[in-house]
Amino acid sequence: MKGVYTGKILTMSYITLGIESSCDETAAAVIQDGKKCLSSVVASQIDIHKEYGGVVPEIASRLHVELILPVIDKALKEAEMDAANIDGIAVTHGPGLIGSLMVGLSTAKALSFSLGVPIIGVNHLEAHLSAVHLENEVEFPFVGLVVSGGHTSLYLVRGYTEFELLGKTRDDAAGEAFDKAAKVLGLSYPGGVQIDRLAREGNTSFIDFPRPFKSSMTPDFSFSGLKTSLVYYLRKEPSPDEERLKDICASYQEAIVETLVDKTLLSAKGNNVGSVVIAGGVACNSRLRELAGERLGQKGLSVYIPSPKYCTDNAAMIGSMGAFRLMKGERSELDLTTFSTARSKYKRGRAAAQGS
Ligand code: KG4
Ligand code: ZN
């Protein structure tokens, strides 16, 4: 080990190879001391899954097998490192698609064994929040909102490796709500980006979509009713023209974004924190970034949202999260296995494959 972690001061440098393969991105990154990204390579499979309207798990696993070694090689090359420079390996071991996770995990274990360096399994959701440390110094504790395709969760984050789950979605994730709406509106996968683009020119109050749990104190979310409202609306008013489509997207997006911001504010107040971090693919959403800055900023909170390249799935966040654990002396054994709450993602994949 080249570096020693003292909690505050990092002496010398600790090089972590991060590996991510939980869904449809094959990614590797080289991270110095948990905070500096030396390289981050992401091979996205989106163009292939697009044909099916969503991620098809079996196809994803097979593509990970083809891509993982070239992606790791590229990450090392871009960081001007070779394998001998690596002090530790961080790999996503859940949640995610089981077959996809297995590819990253098996590769990481083989590298750990052959290089004689420690390995650490990383929780993908906690890692989304760790992405903030690649660009900002954030004071602890903070409230972290993770909004991705499969998850919507609020955490109280007390330190680099200390996460307490405060609340989560009881049904669909925010990203799932975007993707499913896009599908019923005839937009391509992944839907969040398309809705974000169309919503920019639409009227946010054209349809009053439900804001679930709006007046309740729960830090939980629910988005499945929103999608159902959209389906009912389209039954009454089918085939919207381009202008109407923009209004529908703007109103739908506003309902999701307002709910996310309001629940984050509630948790921040309830836990007496001064900072909020929003991360995960949906944190790329331009309206979420804007409204969070405005509404949370007005309440005196510091709002941190990583750059879009660190919001969507990447391995830099995995390397960062893993580095903080490794530098503290945490290690996983070589019998490290996956933990998977992949039901919702699997459902998404299966629904896509069946065209529903
Ligand atoms: O974190 P992520 O890359 O992968 C998962 O861990 O799931 O998140 C992917 C999700 C997708 O549902 C996608 O539609 C959504 O992030 N997303 C967006 C935007 N960009 C990506 N949602 C809304 N607005 C965007 N600009
Ligand atoms: Zn993710």
Side-chain angles (χ1 to χ4, degrees):
M1 174 164 157
K2 284 187 266 162
V4 178
Y5 184 60
T6 62
K8 272 198 183 135
I9 304 157
L10 296 163
T11 51
M12 301 168 69
S13 75
Y14 190 97
I15 301 295
T16 308
L17 174 68
I19 298 175
E20 154 67 30
S21 69
S22 67
C23 191
D24 56 346
E25 268 91 20
T26 320
V30 178
I31 302 297
Q32 185 179 347
D33 300 332
K35 293 188 174 180
K36 188 168 179 200
C37 180
L38 302 179
S39 68
S40 174
V41 177
V42 180
S44 173
Q45 307 175 1
I46 282 181
D47 285 344
I48 290 156
H49 296 288
K50 228 179 203 165
E51 276 181 51
Y52 305 92
V55 180
V56 183
E58 178 64 17
I59 295 177
S61 316
R62 286 169 187 262
L63 289 171
H64 286 306
V65 171
E66 282 175 31
L67 292 165
I68 193 96
L69 291 178
V71 163
I72 291 172
D73 273 347
K74 192 160 183 232
L76 288 171
K77 212 168 270 165
E78 286 183 10
E80 296 179 13
M81 300 262 164
D82 59 42
N85 299 111
I86 298 168
D87 293 306
I89 296 174
V91 60
T92 309
H93 71 133
L97 299 169
I98 190 108
S100 294
L101 288 167
M102 288 302 294
V103 178
L105 199 58
S106 315
T107 310
K109 284 187 198 179
L111 281 172
S112 162
F113 181 72
S114 60
L115 297 172
V117 296
I119 183 173
I120 190 87
V122 168
N123 178 312
H124 181 89
L125 301 179
E126 295 176 358
H128 266 303
L129 291 173
S130 201
V132 75
H133 304 306
L134 297 166
E135 298 176 309
N136 296 99
E137 291 292 334
V138 189
E139 251 180 58
F140 297 108
F142 62 79
V143 159
L145 170 69
V146 181
V147 261
S148 70
H151 297 86
T152 301
S153 306
L154 275 164
Y155 291 89
L156 177 61
V157 185
R158 292 203 172 84
Y160 290 110
T161 62
E162 290 165 58
F163 296 83
E164 182 190 325
L165 184 66
L166 299 172
K168 60 180 182 166
T169 183
R170 295 189 188 174
D171 40 56
D172 288 355
E176 206 171 353
F178 273 110
D179 296 340
K180 285 178 173 172
K183 195 159 195 182
V184 297
L185 290 168
L187 304 169
S188 65
Y189 176 85
V193 186
Q194 314 295 338
I195 292 181
D196 188 353
R197 181 177 52 82
L198 289 161
R200 277 175 212 164
E201 291 170 35
N203 174 1
T204 53
S205 40
F206 181 73
I207 306 168
D208 188 20
F209 281 115
R211 270 74 166 156
F213 302 142
K214 187 176 166 64
S215 46
S216 134
M217 293 302 283
T218 175
D220 283 352
F221 304 87
S222 165
F223 290 110
S224 63
L226 186 58
K227 174 203 62 198
T228 310
S229 301
L230 174 63
V231 170
Y232 283 137
Y233 174 84
L234 290 171
R235 270 190 206 158
K236 276 195 288 161
E237 306 280 343
S239 314
D241 64 17
E242 182 74 11
E243 287 315 300
R244 189 53 42 92
L245 184 62
K246 289 175 184 169
D247 293 334
I248 296 171
C249 288
S251 308
Y252 188 87
Q253 172 178 274
E254 197 70 6
I256 297 178
V257 164
E258 260 192 15
T259 307
L260 294 173
V261 172
D262 288 353
K263 289 290 169 195
T264 305
L265 178 60
L266 183 81
S267 296
K269 275 194 196 158
N271 290 282
N272 219 6
V273 301
S275 303
V276 157
V277 174
I278 304 180
V282 179
C284 294
N285 184 270
S286 55
R287 181 63 184 143
L288 176 58
R289 296 175 89 92
E290 181 181 58
L291 194 73
E294 273 170 29
R295 218 174 259 191
L296 302 176
Q298 273 166 12
K299 298 286 176 188
L301 292 162
S302 303
V303 182
Y304 299 91
I305 308 180
S307 307
K309 68 176 175 185
Y310 294 136
C311 282
T312 47
D313 284 352
N314 65 87
M317 65 185 199
I318 306 299
S320 169
M321 181 76 260
F324 292 122
R325 293 199 182 283
L326 288 164
M327 290 189 291
K328 260 173 70 182
E330 286 182 38
R331 264 104 186 96
S332 298
E333 299 296 325
L334 272 181
D335 62 359
L336 172 68
T337 185
T338 60
F339 75 90
S340 185
T341 54
R343 231 187 106 252
S344 65
K345 284 196 174 184
Y346 172 66
K347 263 190 349 200
R348 280 197 289 153
R350 193 178 48 177
Q354 291 172 347
S356 58

